[in-house]
Amino acid sequence: MSSTDPPTAIDDAPTLAARRLDDLARRVARSGPAGAAGDPATGGGAIDVFAPATAERIGSVPAYDAADVDDAVERAREAQAAWSATPAAERAAVIDRFGDLVLDRRAELLDLLQAETGKSRRTAVEELFDVPTGCGYLAEMAPDVLADERRSGVAPGLTTATVTYEPVGVVGVISPWNYPLTLSMADALPALAAGNAVVLKPDEKTPYGALALGELLEVAGLPDGLFQVVTGEGPTVGPALIDAVDYVAFTGSTETGRTVAERAGRNLIDCSLELGGNNPLVVLDDADVDEAARGAVQACFSNAGQLCLSAERIYVEESVHDAFLDAFVRETERLTVGTGYDYDAEVGSLVDGAQLDRVRSHVEDARDRGATVLTGGRARPDVAPYCYEPTVLSDVDPDATVACEETFGPVVSVASVPDADAAVAAANDSPYGLNASVWTGDRDRGVEIAREIDCGTVNVNDAFLATWGATDAPMGGFGDSGLGRRHGPEGIRRYVESRTIGVSRVGPLGFPDRIPTDWFVRGAFAALSLGRRARRGVRRLKRRLRGR
């Protein structure tokens, strides 16, 4: 595996300067009342931010406390009343303008993204591309999704039923460090489109991208105060945010997700959680092994494996196992590791020393239990402090940590299985159920296998983009991988309360005064029975017509 020379933290970034990062940090300080925690003028607390590519400190942001969070939520709540009364089409137009601005400012956003995450330029482009794509979907679909709906009334012709959708109020978004632009906006933008205010708590490691996007939202026309960014330590800011808002959208570990859900439940507010995964990839005996190997490299090593959708377990039907494994190892060894601000490297850095230690410990545990390292298996401090080579393991003990837990790094195990049924059983042998991938020469067969895998998204002949990129379709996990869905109409409507308005055209419904009660009861049951038979006949006719 080759490497590229590491950059300095900021100096090599084409569009960044330390002054720009300081300006972004001051956006947090200015957003609070006079003397807010973290304001450099008052000596409040601060959190240092480091560049994974060099382990250098590149700046600091204010460390909010619970009172600061309460103030931010209150400011957002004050701004939300007028925003909720703004027509949905006008709100969508702001989101659409924001998407244009992201494209216009992409050079700086890409540099920011690499500086605070250490990811490769290629991966940064993939992440940034997702934001305006989501904006386009919301601009087109949100007004229709949020429009009033006519439903069947209790007595057609005599009554009507209309469903309206009202914003919940203030949405708290807690976003992770691995995809700080995509995953913050995938939750925040539909909440804004639905008429809510948003208070975003980015991970302490990656605050600058969120602050830059908040700036662009203002330029796009979002009202002052409607989108707040609160920076600080998770154990301090997180609970305070959950206690103050009306809905929580969280992306992170399953362990922390349980805590978020428990606190939200005590407050009787709803939440959506995208949590961990130990995702399977299945190669069937009719697959093109070279194509599957290239797809598996993308599935396993994008963003150095720090992707909730990454494949960490590969199951291959035994008749093609050896051919696939040879091709997969060969493709893996061609990968270039580096953190430069160009497109030479394919795999970037891990985010920090703790993540590097986790990856090392998982690989060492697998080795101690008899696993074979077919390629990789070592850190690359010569490239950057936290780089680790893409690693392929075989003969992994089922009880090894790497087999049971999410590694969240560039490590994958490959196992042979006798047939497709065994592959599905192995894929489903996990408490997680976020994403899966199936490789086959028969797409119809792949779809049938996909239906048997217990995951919220399953890709046939693709790693993860076929489902993640389908912004009109819901995305989320089964089991320990979370609750709720982002994307699609479901991702918008999670942020609204539905209200049903029923109208009677004949006055009060009930037993009429001018007809004997026994007559009315017999007539009502006769009408009910006749109506059921009529509807049953209509359903049969529709089935016959669909069958033609």
Side-chain angles (χ1 to χ4, degrees):
M1 297 172 192
S2 59
S3 63
T4 61
D5 293 333
T8 57
I10 297 298
D11 293 344
D12 284 359
T15 67
L16 286 186
R19 181 188 304 173
R20 172 60 171 153
L21 301 185
D22 291 341
D23 288 343
L24 289 172
R26 278 192 288 271
R27 288 182 58 80
V28 183
R30 288 199 305 267
S31 70
D39 190 327
T42 64
I47 298 173
D48 288 335
V49 181
F50 296 86
T54 60
E56 294 176 79
R57 178 188 175 277
I58 58 174
S60 64
V61 294
Y64 264 32
D65 60 21
D68 299 317
V69 173
D70 287 343
D71 290 339
V73 173
E74 184 58 32
R75 290 191 298 274
R77 196 174 296 283
E78 290 174 359
Q80 188 268 335
W83 180 246
S84 66
T86 302
E90 293 182 23
R91 300 196 300 255
V94 173
I95 303 298
D96 203 26
R97 287 195 295 272
F98 169 71
D100 290 338
L101 289 168
V102 170
L103 288 174
D104 292 343
R105 309 286 180 85
R106 62 185 179 274
E108 182 189 75
L109 290 171
L110 287 170
D111 289 351
L112 270 176
L113 190 53
Q114 283 193 270
E116 61 182 359
T117 66
K119 62 180 59 184
S120 72
R121 190 72 164 189
R122 298 184 187 201
T123 305
V125 166
E126 292 173 358
E127 175 172 357
L128 185 65
F129 195 87
D130 187 73
V131 177
T133 301
C135 292
Y137 174 78
L138 291 170
E140 180 180 358
M141 298 301 298
D144 290 339
V145 170
L146 298 167
D148 293 355
E149 285 187 285
R150 290 292 298 270
R151 301 286 182 93
S152 297
V154 62
L158 302 180
T159 64
T160 63
T162 303
V163 179
T164 67
Y165 297 100
E166 309 299 331
V168 295
V170 179
V171 173
V173 175
I174 303 174
S175 63
W177 50 260
N178 61 323
Y179 280 79
L181 303 186
T182 287
L183 294 179
S184 61
M185 292 298 103
D187 285 336
L189 293 179
L192 292 170
N196 299 285
V198 170
V199 179
L200 169 63
K201 192 276 176 199
D203 190 275
E204 302 93 290
K205 301 180 187 68
T206 54
Y208 292 118
L211 292 166
L213 292 176
E215 183 179 68
L216 294 185
L217 280 167
E218 290 182 8
V219 175
L222 200 71
D224 290 345
L226 194 71
F227 180 83
Q228 301 275 328
V229 177
V230 293
T231 55
E233 298 290 348
T236 299
V237 174
L241 184 62
I242 297 168
D243 287 346
V245 298
D246 306 301
Y247 187 102
V248 179
F250 171 82
T251 305
S253 71
T254 297
E255 179 182 4
T256 304
R258 293 184 192 279
T259 301
V260 170
E262 181 181 359
R263 196 172 193 106
R266 287 203 302 269
N267 293 336
L268 291 180
I269 63 171
D270 206 350
C271 64
S272 54
L273 313 170
E274 187 193 293
L275 308 178
N278 191 357
N279 304 307
L281 184 150
V282 171
V283 181
L284 301 178
D285 59 5
D286 59 355
D288 179 328
V289 294
D290 292 324
E291 181 181 82
R294 290 192 298 272
V297 164
Q298 180 190 26
C300 301
F301 304 126
S302 291
N303 202 35
Q306 299 168 121
L307 170 64
C308 56
L309 305 175
S310 286
E312 298 193 3
R313 302 175 290 140
I314 299 179
Y315 302 105
V316 188
E317 286 200 69
E318 59 187 2
S319 62
V320 295
H321 172 267
D322 292 350
F324 169 81
L325 192 57
D326 288 345
F328 181 46
V329 170
R330 182 172 62 250
E331 293 291 335
T332 300
E333 290 177 340
R334 289 175 177 168
L335 293 172
T336 301
V337 181
T339 56
Y341 291 94
D342 52 36
Y343 296 100
D344 293 342
E346 295 154 297
V347 179
S349 174
L350 296 172
V351 75
D352 60 15
Q355 196 63 24
L356 177 61
D357 290 343
R358 180 181 178 88
V359 171
R360 278 174 167 161
S361 68
H362 282 206
V363 173
E364 290 307 311
D365 173 73
R367 275 179 168 146
D368 292 344
R369 294 172 181 267
T372 301
V373 178
L374 300 175
T375 188
R378 65 190 179 112
R380 292 294 302 274
D382 57 310
V383 179
Y386 312 128
C387 277
Y388 196 90
E389 286 189 339
T391 299
V392 179
L393 306 175
S394 65
D395 307 313
V396 172
D397 188 306
D399 294 327
T401 306
V402 75
C404 302
E405 298 181 11
E406 183 179 38
T407 300
F408 220 60
V411 179
V412 64
S413 62
V414 183
S416 175
V417 292
D419 53 35
D421 289 341
V424 170
N428 289 337
D429 187 19
S430 170
Y432 300 105
L434 188 57
N435 183 63
S437 179
V438 177
W439 294 83
T440 174
D442 183 341
R443 289 189 294 273
D444 291 337
R445 183 189 183 202
V447 171
E448 290 306 310
I449 294 293
R451 293 178 186 275
E452 299 178 29
I453 296 178
D454 297 332
C455 288
T457 55
V458 185
N459 303 265
V460 177
N461 293 339
D462 187 67
F464 49 79
L465 287 176
T467 52
W468 173 264
T471 53
D472 193 36
M475 184 272 160
F478 291 5
D480 286 0
S481 289
L483 300 171
R485 296 293 184 267
R486 60 161 58 105
H487 289 171
E490 296 87 346
I492 301 170
R493 285 185 176 163
R494 59 179 161 154
Y495 295 127
V496 296
E497 297 280 11
S498 62
R499 175 191 293 116
T500 300
I501 300 173
V503 177
S504 171
R505 293 171 172 156
V506 294
L509 300 178
F511 290 100
D513 296 332
R514 299 179 181 180
I515 300 175
T517 301
D518 58 337
W519 289 13
F520 175 77
V521 169
R522 287 197 298 270
F525 276 115
L528 178 61
S529 179
L530 180 61
R532 285 173 54 81
R533 288 198 298 271
R535 284 190 291 272
R536 192 176 297 122
V538 170
R539 290 197 298 270
R540 289 171 182 160
L541 179 60
K542 287 181 177 179
R543 285 196 294 268
R544 289 173 185 166
L545 293 175
R546 283 196 298 265
R548 291 180 181 176

